[in-house]
Amino acid sequence: MYETFIDLDELVVRCRDKQAKKIIQEAVACYRTGAFRSCIVSTWNAVVFDFLHKLRELELLENTEASKLLKDFENLSLASDLKVRELWKFESEIPNKALSTFELISPMEKSDIERLFEDRSRCAHPSMVSLEEPFEATAELARYHLRSAVMHLLQRPPVQGRSALNQIWQAIKSEYFPTDIENAVSSLSKGPLARARCSLIKNVVIGLTKSLLNEELPEDERERQFAALNAVSKMYPKETNETLNAQLSTIILRVVDTGWDKVIIYLDTVKAWESTSEPCQIKARTFIERLDIYEEKSSYFTQKLSIQKVDLLVKASRIDFLTSTVINKFQIPFKDLLFVKKHCYDKQFNAKIINPLLRKFIPQASFTELITILTNDDQVFNEEIESYFKDKIKESPVKNIISSLQRCENEKINKLSKDFLKSKIKDASLDELILIKEYFEYFDDEFEEQDKDIIELHKVIETYLYKLVKECTFEEIDQLWELKSQYPDINIDEHINFLLKTNVSNIIDAFMKSGTFATAKSNASLLSKIVDFLTPVQWDYILKAFCSNNQIYNSFGCPDIFISMFKKSVEMHGNVQPYWLSFREKLDSLNDTDINRLKQVIDSYQPI
C-alpha cells in the first residue's frame, strides 16, 4: 500500500476530486520545469480544494459540523471586503480540523500537512533564511509535499477513523451486502476502504475476526462477514496478513471451548491457518480428536453420523496441520465411510481422505457398495474396484444392478452390468425378467432408431416371459395381474383364465374363510373374476358366507364388489337367479349404508 517510490503521474491518478486533481497536475508540471516554489503552493491549493470537496460529501451525509464549516467558508469568500486574515486562519486550521473534527488523517499525517502549509507560506511570500539568503525550495521538498498531500488526503474518501468503521459495519449488516468475494470487493472499494489507512484496515480485519469467532449470528450475516473479510484480504493482502499474524492467535485462544467449531470454519474460509501459533494448532488438533461425529440421540447399536460434524471435518481436512488428525478421526465402520462419501460432494476431500480409507474394504464390499465407492476423479482407484465387479455382480439382486445402472457414470461398469443382465434373461424369475424388460425398454428411448441387436434382445425377453407366465401357479396370479396392468398388450389372458377356472373351489374356500376386512375385500375381488365359472350351488355357498361372516359384510368395499357381481349375473342369465332372492331376504338382518345400497340394487331388478 505504501510504496517506496511512486511515479508523479500515479499520484495524479489517485486524486478523487476533479478540481484537486487538476491543481495537482499543475503542481506536477511546475515540478518538472523546476518551479518548486510554485509546485508547493499548488499542492497546498489542491489540499484546500480537496478538503472543501470532502466537506460537501459529508454535508450530504447530514454532518452538521461539515455544513457549518462550509457556510463559514462561503461567508468569508463572498464578503464584499475580502477578509484575507480570516481566510488564512481558515486554511491554517485545515490540518487540525481534518484530524480532530473529521478524523480524515492521523496525528503523524497532520504534522506532514502542517509542514506543507508552513512551506507554502514560505514559498508564496518573501522569505529569508538570512538577510543575504532567500528561502529556496528543493526538488526533494516539493516531491515530499506532493506525495504527502495525495497519500494522506487527496486519494482517500471523506470518512476515516470511527466514522468510516461505523459506515463499513452498517454496509456489511445490510441484507443486500454481497456474499461472494468479487462483488464484496466492488462494494467495499466504493466506500471508506478505498485507499484506506492501515489503522482502518486493521480495525476492520480484527472486528470481523472477533465477530465471526465469538458471536452467535444468523448464517446469512456470517456469510456476508466472511465475504467482507476475504474481500479486504484481496484488496490489502499485505496489511491483512500482518494483522492476522500479529493478532489472530491471541483472539483464537480466547474463544470459549463450545465455540471452537467457529475457529475451524474461520481457518478454512479465510485460509488463515498459517497465521496461527503452535498453542492454537495444538488446541485445534485436540478439539478434532475429541469431536463426536455421531448424533447424540442415536443408540449404541444404531449410531448415526452427524452431517453437520462431518461437514466440519471436511473443512478441517483442508487445514494442513489438521489433515492427519482428520484421517485418524475417520477410522470408522465401512457403512459409515460409504455414508460420508455419498453425502460429501467435496472431490478433494474424497480423494485425499475417504478413498484411501475405503481401499481396504474393497474386497469385502457388495456390488452396490462398490458402485457407491466409484469416483470420477481417481482412475487408478476405479481400476482397483473394477477388478472385483465380475464376481460381485453375480451375487447382487437384479433390482440392485438396475438401480446402480441408473446412477453409475462409469462406462466400463455399465457395460459389464448390461451384459450380465442379458445373460441373466434365461435364468431370471418372472419378477426379475419384468425388471429387465422395463430397463431395456427405457434404455431404448436413448436411441432414435432400434438397431438389430436391440430388436433381437426384445424378442428373447418376450419368449422367456411367455414361458415363465405359462409356468406360473395359482399362488402367483397376483404377479400376472400386475404384469397385465403394466403391459396390456401381453397376451396372457388365456393362462390367467385357466388358473382361475381350475381353482374356483380354492377361491371360494378362501373367501368363506376370510379372517380380516382386508382379506375379505381381496378375496371378493378375486371372486368377481370367476363369475362366469360359478354354479348355482357355489353361488349359494358364497352368498351364505357373505351374510354369516362379519369380516365380509363389514368389510369396506365388499358390498360394492357384490353389486358388480350381481349385475354381471343378471346380464349372463337375463334375470335375477333364485339364490340372489334368498340372499336379499337375509340382507334385511344387516343394517349398514353399503349393505342398504346393495339391497336397493337387487330390489331395482325385481318387479313391483
Side-chain angles (χ1 to χ4, degrees), residues 1 80 95 114 125 129 146 173 176 213 239 263 317 375 391 423 480 583 590:
M1 177 178 171
S80 56
E114 286 178 332
H125 306 289
V129 177
L146 267 172
K173 280 184 174 296
Y176 307 113
L213 291 177
E239 291 73 17
V263 175
S317 71
T375 176
D391 292 330
S423 67
L480 297 180
F583 173 65
L590 305 175

Side-chain angles (χ1 to χ4, degrees), residues 201 231-244:
I201 298 168
V232 174
S233 178
K234 190 168 185 178
M235 294 166 66
Y236 303 105
K238 178 184 175 184
E239 291 73 17
T240 302
N241 287 337
E242 288 177 352
T243 301
L244 292 178

Side-chain angles (χ1 to χ4, degrees), residues 14-74:
R14 290 186 179 219
C15 295
R16 294 177 69 253
D17 177 46
K18 291 181 180 179
Q19 188 64 37
K21 181 183 289 187
K22 183 178 179 181
I23 299 174
I24 283 293
Q25 285 176 325
E26 293 177 5
V28 170
C30 291
Y31 177 88
R32 284 175 171 158
T33 59
F36 303 126
R37 286 172 177 269
S38 298
C39 173
I40 293 173
V41 172
S42 294
T43 301
W44 174 255
N45 290 342
V47 167
V48 175
F49 277 102
D50 180 74
F51 181 71
L52 293 172
H53 178 70
K54 284 180 167 61
L55 291 181
R56 292 189 186 95
E57 290 186 78
L58 291 171
E59 184 182 33
L60 293 174
L61 298 174
E62 300 181 354
N63 187 305
T64 55
E65 190 66 32
S67 300
K68 180 179 178 299
L69 209 55
L70 272 176
K71 189 173 182 179
D72 292 343
F73 177 77
E74 289 173 0

Side-chain angles (χ1 to χ4, degrees), residues 330-342:
F330 278 110
Q331 301 297 327
I332 55 179
F334 179 51
K335 65 179 181 63
D336 292 334
L337 282 176
L338 288 179
F339 176 85
V340 173
K341 185 176 178 68
K342 182 178 179 180

Side-chain angles (χ1 to χ4, degrees), residues 48-49 52 56 69-88 90-91:
V48 175
F49 277 102
L52 293 172
R56 292 189 186 95
L69 209 55
L70 272 176
K71 189 173 182 179
D72 292 343
F73 177 77
E74 289 173 0
N75 291 337
L76 291 172
S77 302
L78 298 174
S80 56
D81 52 335
L82 191 61
K83 300 178 180 180
V84 177
R85 180 177 294 276
E86 285 79 0
L87 283 171
W88 178 87
F90 179 88
E91 290 187 34

Side-chain angles (χ1 to χ4, degrees), residues 523-539:
N523 291 332
S525 179
L526 197 56
L527 270 180
S528 67
K529 310 290 185 185
I530 61 170
V531 170
D532 294 347
F533 312 132
L534 295 175
T535 66
V537 174
Q538 290 169 331
W539 270 116

